[in-house]
Amino acid sequence: MAVKFSEETSSGSSNGKKSGDSAFNTKRRNRGLSIVSKKFDIDGDGTLDKYEMLARSLDHQNSGSITPEIVVELLKEQDALRKRQWLLLFGNIIQWLPIIAGAAYTLYKFSERQYQQNVGGKILTSIDYIREGVVSSDEIQSLWELSEGNAYPLTDQQRQDYLRDGFVVLPNFLTGDESQVLDKVVTHNLNEMAFPDLLTKCSRKFHGEYYHSSVTHKFWQQPRISDMLSTLALEGDVPYMVTSEILEMPSGAPCIPQWHWDFLTFPQNFNASFTTGTQIWWSSEEVDSNVGGGLAFLPGSHKWANSVDEGAALHPCFAMNLFEKMSTECTQLLDREMAVPKLSPTDIVVFSRFTLHRSVARNPSVPFKSPTGRRGYTLRVGSARSIFKQDTMQCFPSHPSSNFERQLKEGKRYDSVIDPKTGIPNPHAIYRPMNVRDSEELMIQEGNGRTMSTTTFLHYSAQSIIRQKIKWKLAKYVEDAVNVVAQRKLLDMSCKAAPTPDVRAYN
């Protein structure tokens, strides 16, 4: 006859079995511990973990307890260890303090000088340079009348070279004395308002420079320069000053070693002729392919950006995305075909806004003569028919000058600042024609219009960070991580640093 158990009996029997098993297992584990060691088995699991074993090792008398003397000794050791930790922390702080302080000062100086350049509106006049003992009145006059006002003897060959290669060297554009005076003025401007460059390997940078110096402003507005640019690079158009910048490059590293183009610094339509924008570059020291320290150009690359000009076509190696690395094939092509012009401080090089170029490292055996490095001075120039566009890149901050208070409206030509009745430029205009000499009084009077408001500056700074650091860089990290795991192009979310759509021109 079968015996039927109730659920309660069955359940109780099961629990009883488990309880018995647990007791059995505990006895089996405790079998390996001595009577003294069991006293240190705090959690009762039948084994001593590393802390329980450490406590057991301090029981020198095998009594199952630790003597007061050992406890006091432990507390002394713990106190000594805490003191050593504080000393180590203090030592690390002392060791890193100069670096932390230097970084904090650099960030402060960067922000303060950025604010000063774009909002402060400080203008250095000829009186300031003379009062500070930088240059004399006669030296300033020599800058305003290069070669005593004589025109530069431009040749047909130089114009042909520019049209073919996208750049050309103009030797002896300045005299030796004039180049020394220019270097004094440029160095003073750096000392007064430059900021430590956090984006490149340049030691110091000053953008929008001529907006803050009446001496360099008038230096660029002279027939020797304006007539040369009009004939050489702009098909007879009047040149307009867009902005200028000074980059100081140390002997140890090139400022911008990546191949790049400067059309992003030109607030104007992208799909336009290379003859609508050009630039001048001057070096404070001798540079060439042997000693390095200058610029490398890719001949003919000024016709790689678009198909507007005769013989021009979009080239597969034209870096449409500023942040993406070029392919190995393109990098090898550029490095193989590049040209590094020889320049002395009396020479200048003129190159198109579409010409690919990069900085060249200085030969370590021939460091720069100046302890602070080589100063490179650049003027960006637009033609009268250039169409103003505020944002030039989708993922790159627009140029600060395009956000100034009295800037042109979208789609306006640069020469719209000229009064058609009088032929005189509007005194409030930001971009100044170079065939007209502005007075220092005008620059001082209209200085506030060539800056941003504090609100605009804060908005511009935030927008720059969001565009470059978040919408591109952070998004790019996420995009790459996902695509690596997926082993295919699954995510495409990062902002692309391609040109923004051109604006429509209007009268």
Side-chain angles (χ1 to χ4, degrees), residues 173 219-234 236-240 280 379 381 433-436:
F173 197 87
F219 165 74
W220 293 118
Q221 282 185 318
Q222 57 179 298
R224 185 176 176 86
I225 299 177
S226 63
D227 292 348
M228 175 274 295
L229 289 174
S230 177
T231 304
L232 175 68
L234 303 177
D237 264 3
V238 173
Y240 280 71
I280 296 174
L379 176 72
V381 179
M434 295 176 66
N435 64 343
V436 177

Side-chain angles (χ1 to χ4, degrees), residues 116-125 129 189 193 206-217 404 450-451:
Q116 182 183 24
Q117 288 183 22
N118 296 310
V119 182
K122 178 180 179 180
I123 298 177
L124 298 172
T125 66
Y129 292 96
N189 292 350
M193 281 180 282
F206 187 2
H207 64 66
E209 177 269 343
Y210 80 76
Y211 293 109
H212 301 276
S213 171
S214 64
V215 171
T216 55
H217 186 117
F404 286 171
R450 299 184 177 95
T451 60

Side-chain angles (χ1 to χ4, degrees), residues 426-447:
N426 186 326
H428 305 321
I430 302 297
Y431 302 147
R432 310 299 298 173
M434 295 176 66
N435 64 343
V436 177
R437 178 66 64 88
D438 293 322
S439 67
E440 288 192 274
E441 291 75 21
L442 175 67
M443 284 178 262
I444 296 170
Q445 179 182 343
E446 301 295 334

Side-chain angles (χ1 to χ4, degrees), residues 25-35 37-38 46-48:
N25 290 335
T26 300
K27 290 179 181 179
R28 186 172 61 184
R29 285 196 302 269
N30 282 338
R31 226 175 261 164
L33 295 178
S34 65
I35 296 175
S37 296
K38 289 177 183 178
T47 60
L48 300 184

Side-chain angles (χ1 to χ4, degrees), residues 37-57:
S37 296
K38 289 177 183 178
K39 294 182 179 181
F40 292 94
D41 183 16
I42 306 300
D43 53 13
D45 63 353
T47 60
L48 300 184
D49 60 29
K50 63 179 181 179
Y51 300 106
E52 294 168 340
M53 289 179 66
L54 180 61
R56 175 69 180 87
S57 67

Side-chain angles (χ1 to χ4, degrees), residues 109-114 117-118 190 193-198 202-207:
K109 209 65 180 174
F110 175 81
S111 304
E112 185 265 339
R113 289 294 175 89
Q114 281 273 26
Q117 288 183 22
N118 296 310
L190 274 176
M193 281 180 282
F195 56 82
D197 196 358
L198 303 181
C202 301
S203 51
R204 292 188 295 176
K205 181 178 182 179
F206 187 2
H207 64 66

Side-chain angles (χ1 to χ4, degrees), residues 69-109:
E69 291 80 7
I70 293 178
V71 173
V72 171
E73 190 64 31
L74 281 175
L75 292 174
K76 288 181 178 179
E77 290 180 4
Q78 186 180 41
D79 187 55
L81 178 61
R82 189 180 294 110
K83 289 180 179 179
R84 286 197 298 271
Q85 288 174 335
W86 278 109
L87 288 174
L88 182 62
L89 177 62
F90 183 72
N92 286 334
I93 293 175
I94 294 297
Q95 180 182 358
W96 286 95
L97 190 60
I99 299 175
I100 295 172
Y105 177 78
T106 299
L107 183 60
Y108 161 76
K109 209 65 180 174

